[in-house]
Every structure is written in structure tokens, then in C-alpha cells.
Amino acid sequence: MGGDTAIQYNRAKTWQLMLWPGNTTINALLYVLLMFISYIAVGGYGIAVATAGLISTYTRIFDGITDPLIAIITDRLETKFGKIRIIMLTGFVIQITAILVLFVWGIGQGMVFYTIMYLIYYIGSTFSGVATNIGNTVLTNDPRQRPKIYQWSSIYTTVLASLSSVYLSNVLFAKYGSISIEALQELCFTVVAASIVLEILAFIAIIEKDKPENFPKKAQGKINFKDAWVLIKNNRGLQALIVAGTSDKLAQQAAGQAVITTMIFGIVIGNYSFFGTVNLISVVPTVLVLIYGTRNAVKGGTKKALIKWSSIGIALAAAMIGFMAIIDPATISVAPVQTAIFVILAVSFSATMIVTSACTQSMKPDIVDYELYMTGSYLPGTVAAVYAVIDKMISSFGSTIVAVSIAAIGYVNVQPQPGDPVTPALFWMAMFLWMGLPMIGYFFTLIVMKIYPLDKEKMIEIQRHNQDIRAKAKTEAYVKASS
């Protein structure tokens, strides 16, 4: 990278880069289940569709509110064993327990019980998210390696999500005949088992880096709530990322709801099992595009890569809406030409969404280093929390947007099911939620990237400056351990 040859980076080993992202993948895997939480709420707890959407929104807002408190606690945490493993295990146990209660053990207990367990799940999710962000920051500070963390995370997420969709649509749906409580419980057990394996691998990968010397202390005093306010007020990189990341996340939260998948594949196209087929086909192309997109970020910087792929996403979404509008969607799964065009557009757009998500996620550890560079304060948990508070409060409305939207076209007390009749209102609502919202999110990203300061050259300057700070922290940790 030319100007960075004098920097002594704290690099990760290849196997660590491959295994640690398993921790991030757990949340993505659990999200596969949460996409169906409205089905559980309606069918398992007797909650109305719109009410279930509002509960999802309010619980995510609660999730955002708890982030600063938990982040400040974890940024203050100091033990001779480090901090990441303690935080990640705490979050994992809470999440898995809450998921099993929601989907299996608590069925029939009513709305209040459902809401409480949903809130508990998000407390665990916050711990897991903080652990992920701290781990991503300390695993490596080499700008050439950081995109690879998210490359592997996205590869795992893509493969597991595709396998989950095939498992659900081709195995469970065929076995149970509908998206039933029993089908979702079987999916739950499978997801929990896979999550346990991923947690073990991630734990092993972070052991070497989870040391006190890798956590420089705040320049002045202890970390507090004022730091969060100063951070969001003064850090231009964080401000830009919040707008880019949350606008994209809101669109993805809405478009990724299981009910949208049901509307597109089970109703508009009329072949729900085709959803699993498309996802299976998409695995290899998505991974290839992801690797290519990650190399863009490695060579030209994350900012440049995000601008490029957001533009591509807008073009693909517009093309898909136009294609669906001019053909008979019922022919997509049976006519070779329509099938080929649809698969190309759908797979390309899905891959683009994953690349842009990987880019925004890899910006967060850069912002942690940017704050250390500007103020001398190392605040990985606080950076993650400030971002998460706003991200979750905004993206939480994805569930509400979907719930209110489908209620507006007639689904008030029931969820859409494969085989329901296609109406113009349903078709255009599905197009808006599926492709329209992501287009809007990408437009916001292109606008705010004009003020995002952390390009490739700036990150080299930052790491050169921070090298001295980290060397001092290592010396202090050694002296403390020896005394």
C-alpha cells in the first residue's frame, strides 16, 4: 500500500480471519428465525398482525436504548482474561435461551410473555453485537485485512441463509404443508445447533487477541455517557456511516421480512419452492461477487467500493421492477427465458446487497481507530453502541412498515400464505417493499459518502499515528502484569 510500509500492523492469522466471523454469522443466522417471528406471534401467541409489527418495532427501540449502557459497561471491563470472550458468551447464552422460549417452550403464553422474552432476546443480542465490534477492531488494524473479516462473514451468511431457505421451502414446507408453528420449531432447533458450532469456532479464533494490551484506555478518566454524545457530535465519519448504514438497513429489514418472500414467490410468482431454488443457485455467484467486491475495498478503500456497489444496486432494483411489470410473473418459474432473466437480476441484486452491507460493517472499526487518532480515546463499544442506537431505532420501523403495508391491502388478522390470489395492490406493494425501499436507501448512501472522510489514504495516516499509542498501551500492560 505504498505509504503504509513503516506501519507495524497488529495483523490476524488467516485461520483467525476465517473463524472469528462465525460470531457475526450467529446473529445473521438467528435473524433467519426472526424473519418468521410474526408467524409465531400470530399463530403461537394469538397476536394480531399489526400489533405484532408494533411489538417488533418497540422491542428494537428498547434494544437501541440498552446499547449505550451495556457498551459503557463493556468498555470499562478490565480482566486479566481480556473482555471479548466474557461478553460474547454472556450474549450467546441469553439469545439462545430466549429464542428457544419464544419458538418452543413459551407457545400459548400470551402477548405479555411474548413481549418480555423478545426484550430479553435483544439484551443478549446487544452483548453479542458489542463483542463482535470489539473483536473486529482488535483482530486486525490492517486496512487490507479488515474487509476480509466481512467477506468471510458474508460468505457464511450467504451459504447458511441459502441452505435455510432450501430447508424451509423444499423440506419443511413440503413436510408440513404451510409455514406452520411446527415447521418453524424444527427450523429453530436446526439454527440453534448451527449457532453453537459457530460460537465455539469464534471463541477459539479470538483467544490470542483477547488480551488487556489490545485495549488502550481512554485518554482522560473513565468512559461515560458524555463520550457517546461527543462522539456523535464530532466524528464526521460516524455521522456519515449512520446515515448510509441505517437507510440501507431499514430497507433490508423491510425487504427481508419472510412475508415479503411469501408475497413475491408464493403469490406473485405462484411457486414458493422456487424461492429455495433461486437461493441455492445464488450461493456461488454471490460468493464470487462478494470476493470481487471485497478486493475493490482492499485495493481502492471501503468508501470507493461502497459508492460503486450502491450505484449498481440502484440500477439492478430498477431493472427488476421494470421486468416484473412488463411480463406475467406466473411464467417466471416455468418459462426458460423469464426464469433466466429473473434469476440473473435477483442473484445480482442479492449479491450487491451483501457487498454493500460488508462495506458499511467494515467501516465501523475504521471509525474506532479514527476516534483514537483524533482524541486518544479507544471506544470500540461506545462507537458500536452509538451506531446501534440510531440504527436499531430507525431500522426497527422496517417491521412496522411491512405490517402496516400488508394490513392496508387486506391482511389485518392473517399473514399472506402461498397460493393467495394476486391483486394489483398486492403486486405493487410487494415491488415497493422488495425493491423500492432498497433503492431509496442506496440514494441516501451516495449522498452522504460525499462527506465521509476515511478514504484509503486517510486510513494509512491514521494507523501510522495510532501505532505509537498502541505501543505505549502494550508497554503499560506489560508493566502492570509484571508488578
Side-chain angles (χ1 to χ4, degrees), residues 74 77 83-91 127-128 130-131 134:
T74 53
L77 180 65
K83 66 172 70 179
I84 300 172
R85 289 165 291 171
I86 296 172
I87 300 169
M88 65 185 285
L89 287 178
T90 299
F127 275 102
S128 295
V130 169
I134 297 175

Side-chain angles (χ1 to χ4, degrees), residues 89-317:
L89 287 178
T90 299
F92 182 75
V93 171
I94 294 173
Q95 279 183 289
I96 293 301
T97 302
I99 281 289
L100 287 170
V101 171
L102 281 169
F103 278 77
V104 183
W105 302 326
I107 294 295
Q109 296 299 314
M111 184 173 67
V112 173
F113 180 85
Y114 168 86
T115 304
I116 292 172
M117 292 311 304
Y118 208 172
L119 293 173
I120 291 173
Y121 168 83
Y122 277 121
I123 292 174
S125 176
T126 296
F127 275 102
S128 295
V130 169
T132 294
N133 283 287
I134 297 175
N136 291 346
T137 303
V138 305
L139 187 66
T140 176
N141 65 337
D142 187 346
R144 293 167 295 190
Q145 283 194 327
R146 276 184 172 163
K148 294 180 181 178
I149 298 174
Y150 304 95
Q151 170 187 298
W152 283 108
S153 173
S154 298
I155 288 174
Y156 298 152
T157 300
T158 300
V159 172
L160 290 173
S162 297
L163 291 176
S164 297
S165 66
V166 172
Y167 180 53
L168 180 69
S169 61
N170 291 26
V171 178
L172 296 181
F173 183 71
K175 179 179 179 181
Y176 294 98
S178 65
I179 305 174
S180 64
I181 300 299
E182 292 77 16
L184 294 177
Q185 287 176 338
E186 190 167 330
L187 178 64
C188 175
F189 289 130
T190 305
V191 166
V192 167
S195 298
I196 292 172
V197 174
L198 290 170
E199 181 75 356
I200 293 171
L201 295 176
F203 187 92
I204 294 171
I206 204 65
I207 290 175
E208 182 182 333
K209 301 288 184 175
D210 192 15
K211 298 177 180 178
E213 66 194 53
N214 286 328
F215 306 104
K217 295 182 180 179
K218 184 188 172 188
Q220 299 291 331
K222 290 186 176 182
I223 296 166
N224 53 52
F225 284 102
K226 182 179 178 181
D227 293 307
W229 167 246
V230 173
L231 182 67
I232 193 171
K233 179 182 176 183
N234 298 332
N235 193 309
R236 181 57 62 88
L238 180 59
Q239 293 168 0
L241 176 60
I242 285 171
V243 175
T246 56
S247 60
D248 289 352
K249 184 72 169 291
L250 172 63
Q252 291 177 20
Q253 286 280 353
Q257 295 287 311
V259 66
I260 305 303
T261 301
T262 301
M263 291 169 68
I264 296 295
F265 289 91
I267 301 175
V268 174
I269 295 176
N271 185 350
Y272 187 71
S273 64
F274 185 57
F275 168 58
T277 303
V278 172
N279 271 5
L280 191 60
I281 293 171
S282 72
V283 173
V284 174
T286 298
V287 169
L288 293 176
V289 171
L290 178 60
I291 292 172
Y292 174 71
T294 303
R295 287 181 178 176
N296 289 163
V298 170
K299 292 181 180 180
T302 308
K303 174 181 177 179
K304 185 176 180 180
L306 181 58
I307 292 171
K308 172 182 177 179
W309 288 96
S310 294
S311 302
I312 293 173
I314 291 172
L316 288 171

Side-chain angles (χ1 to χ4, degrees), residues 28 92 141 196 243 304 309 342 344 347 392 437 443 449:
F92 182 75
N141 65 337
I196 292 172
V243 175
K304 185 176 180 180
W309 288 96
F342 177 85
I344 290 172
V347 170
K392 290 172 182 177
L437 282 178
F443 275 120
M449 280 299 103

